Amino acid sequence: MVNIVSGREGLCLQILQNCRNELCDLFPRLDVAFSILSYRERSEPGFATDGENLLYSPMELLRLYAESPSRLRRGYLHILLHNLYRHWMRPADIRRELWDLACDIAVEQIIEAEDIPKLGSLGHLAAKCLHMLGKFPVSAETIALRLEEGYFPYSLQEMREFFPFDDHACWERKPPAAVQSRWEKALLRAAGQSRGGGGRRRGVNPGIMEEEAPPVESARTDYRRILRRFMVPREEIELDEDSFDYIYYHLGMEQYGSMPLIEPLEYREVYRLEELVIAIDTSGSCSGEAVGRFLSETWGLLSGQENFFRRMNVFFIQCDCEVRDVTRIRSRDDWKNYRRRIRIRGRGGTDFRPVFREIERLRDEKKLKNLRALIYFTDGDGLYPLTPPDFETIFVLLKEKCRPDLVPDWAARLKI
């Protein structure tokens, strides 16, 4: 009996090792992540993870491998992505049943986007749900919100059957801090940011500091050229002196006293920005002087009359590893008023991804309708999204001690 059990255990480990090797060939940047997970048998049916181990039922593992090796490979990657995105850290304001399902949908969307035959395929209804989310990856937080709002035409019970593989019972017991740190480093590696140096302040450890804003001075950069490609035409109430003919004006004044034959046009077509998101990095890696410079550059952006329409829709976001403040600015007066009372919040680790999630939330709520660009003031040293958004992103970096080498290829870099 002992030989049978040990033989079965050896076969299971060999199958899992083969799956890992095949997945490493497909995703070489996940090599660090694959090295974190160990294997452990469980008495309960099915598969699970506790952040340190891939837990499996031997009989189910053997049955699934015999029926469909591609489904087992997909399931292995499914569990790995749960850990890579630290899905065992459930936000306090999201119910567990929503979070569990949202996390399953989020990782399956990432896997489906790879379109690799070796990973098998989902059922028709599951694929339909992913199609409703669009081609760009959506965070688990956003998916949970959509589930709560009834975005999908199926019940939660039905959708749980569309995305079955692992159970999440072990997520209530979070892995040790050292293991969490390893997953954070694995995510950096997966995003192509493991090139050493300056990583001390990257991460997801929140800061709790709040301080007065440094003095806001004049901006040193002319953003007109940078912003020009995001501008749109619109008529504004504005004297169009270029199309005004002074000859007819003076002729009317001379012939008829105070009655000009022509008056300046009150409307003028201009090219300016409608919507923009401006984010500043308030993490501990950015000094107070750097934050002050970011605010000065923001002031330069928003105070330039030639950049924005009179009625604008700009969101100003402070973020370290979490979004700390979101302020909507609809006019230059709004910005002037906010500038007087602004306080800097954060000083934790550096994670750029929450800003992108916040933008998706604002779009879902229709507060952003035609966003074309995000301008992010930072030193560049932090956790970036793995996939590009559907709007242009410009990371504005201070020349002193910045890390342009860490910025993903899909984003633009500007040194100031």
Side-chain angles (χ1 to χ4, degrees):
M1 183 67 181
V2 173
N3 290 333
I4 293 174
V5 172
S6 61
R8 183 188 68 184
E9 180 182 359
L11 181 58
C12 288
L13 293 178
Q14 184 178 349
I15 289 171
L16 290 170
Q17 188 67 41
N18 288 340
C19 282
R20 186 177 81 168
N21 292 341
E22 290 173 315
L23 290 170
C24 275
D25 287 339
L26 294 172
F27 305 98
R29 280 192 171 177
L30 295 181
D31 54 353
V32 174
F34 281 111
S35 69
I36 299 175
L37 276 182
S38 300
Y39 309 125
R40 201 176 80 196
E41 288 190 17
R42 66 187 310 218
S43 55
E44 300 88 348
F47 299 84
T49 182
D50 58 4
E52 297 180 88
N53 302 282
L54 190 159
L55 308 170
Y56 66 94
S57 164
M59 296 308 297
E60 281 201 50
L61 174 65
L62 296 172
R63 177 187 58 77
L64 182 59
Y65 185 70
E67 292 176 356
S68 176
S70 62
R71 281 189 60 206
L72 183 59
R73 281 191 290 269
R74 189 183 188 104
Y76 195 132
L77 183 59
H78 178 110
I79 284 178
L80 187 85
L81 291 175
H82 277 322
N83 287 296
L84 194 64
Y85 286 98
R86 295 161 37 104
H87 281 163
W88 13 263
M89 302 286 287
R90 176 170 60 90
D93 58 341
I94 299 179
R95 302 198 316 270
R96 178 177 172 180
E97 62 270 21
L98 292 178
W99 181 247
D100 285 354
L101 178 56
C103 291
D104 283 335
I105 296 173
V107 297
E108 287 297 336
Q109 187 190 25
I110 294 170
I111 296 171
E112 192 73 1
E114 296 295 332
D115 194 23
I116 298 176
K118 276 191 172 185
L119 299 179
S121 58
L122 290 172
H124 170 69
L125 295 179
K128 184 178 178 181
C129 292
L130 296 185
H131 179 73
M132 292 179 66
L133 290 173
K135 64 179 181 178
F136 295 102
V138 181
S139 69
E141 290 90 341
T142 299
I143 295 173
L145 179 63
R146 293 183 180 180
L147 287 169
E148 191 165 34
E149 294 173 344
Y151 177 83
F152 301 95
Y154 309 104
S155 68
L156 293 180
Q157 180 59 40
E158 288 174 320
M159 293 190 68
R160 276 192 287 268
E161 295 174 1
F162 300 163
F163 299 93
F165 185 76
D166 59 328
D167 71 64
H168 305 161
C170 299
W171 287 8
E172 294 301 310
R173 301 186 303 275
K174 298 178 182 64
V179 176
Q180 294 186 35
S181 177
R182 292 183 67 191
W183 283 114
E184 184 178 331
K185 292 176 182 176
L187 185 59
L188 282 170
R189 162 68 177 164
Q193 300 159 35
S194 57
R195 282 164 278 186
R200 185 171 53 87
R201 296 301 302 179
R202 297 183 197 144
V204 292
N205 295 317
I208 58 173
M209 289 184 63
E210 179 174 318
E211 57 192 88
E212 294 288 344
V216 178
E217 302 172 352
S218 299
R220 304 178 200 174
T221 309
D222 181 8
Y223 290 93
R224 176 74 181 178
R225 178 181 57 83
I226 300 164
L227 298 176
R228 189 174 293 135
R229 63 182 180 272
F230 309 123
M231 294 180 174
V232 295
R234 197 172 78 188
E235 284 190 339
E236 277 216 315
I237 299 176
E238 182 176 321
L239 293 182
D240 188 354
E241 297 181 357
D242 294 336
S243 61
F244 176 56
D245 193 328
Y246 284 94
I247 295 175
Y248 285 101
Y249 180 85
H250 284 291
L251 180 61
M253 295 295 285
E254 289 176 359
Q255 295 294 323
Y256 304 107
S258 60
M259 183 183 295
L261 292 179
I262 187 171
E263 292 185 345
L265 295 176
E266 293 183 352
Y267 290 88
R268 183 179 186 180
E269 185 175 70
V270 292
Y271 281 79
R272 290 176 184 167
L273 280 168
E274 282 184 315
E275 288 192 340
L276 186 68
V277 174
I278 300 173
I280 67 166
D281 178 359
T282 59
S283 66
S285 63
C286 292
S287 65
E289 181 183 355
V291 172
R293 181 70 188 279
F294 296 157
L295 291 174
S296 296
E297 297 298 325
T298 302
W299 170 246
L301 269 168
L302 295 179
S303 60
Q305 293 187 6
E306 72 281 2
N307 291 337
F308 292 90
F309 294 115
R310 282 191 176 88
R311 299 303 297 173
M312 62 181 75
N313 187 35
V314 176
F315 282 89
F316 180 69
I317 300 175
Q318 295 184 44
C319 180
D320 54 0
C321 66
E322 297 178 4
V323 171
R324 296 300 180 181
D325 182 74
V326 180
T327 299
R328 191 175 195 175
I329 298 165
R330 295 179 179 271
S331 66
R332 279 179 284 275
D333 287 339
D334 285 352
W335 171 241
K336 290 176 182 177
N337 293 332
Y338 179 64
R339 177 189 168 198
R340 295 190 194 103
R341 56 182 174 82
I342 188 172
R343 297 185 68 82
I344 301 303
R345 299 178 174 89
R347 293 293 181 240
T350 312
D351 191 343
F352 305 119
R353 297 169 299 172
V355 168
F356 291 84
R357 291 196 290 265
E358 180 66 18
I359 289 173
E360 287 306 313
R361 185 185 69 80
L362 293 171
R363 293 167 106 183
D364 289 342
E365 295 177 358
K366 309 300 182 186
K367 293 178 180 177
L368 283 170
K369 298 179 181 178
N370 189 32
L371 178 65
R372 301 182 64 189
L374 160 67
I375 295 180
Y376 209 129
F377 293 98
T378 177
D379 62 357
D381 192 2
L383 299 172
Y384 291 88
L386 293 178
T387 53
D390 59 345
F391 49 84
E392 189 156 355
T393 303
I394 302 172
F395 286 95
V396 182
L397 313 169
L398 287 178
K399 287 184 179 179
E400 303 84 9
K401 300 180 181 179
C402 71
R403 296 298 307 274
D405 56 309
L406 300 181
V407 178
D409 294 336
W410 49 260
R413 308 164 185 81
L414 172 66
K415 290 185 183 180
I416 58 173

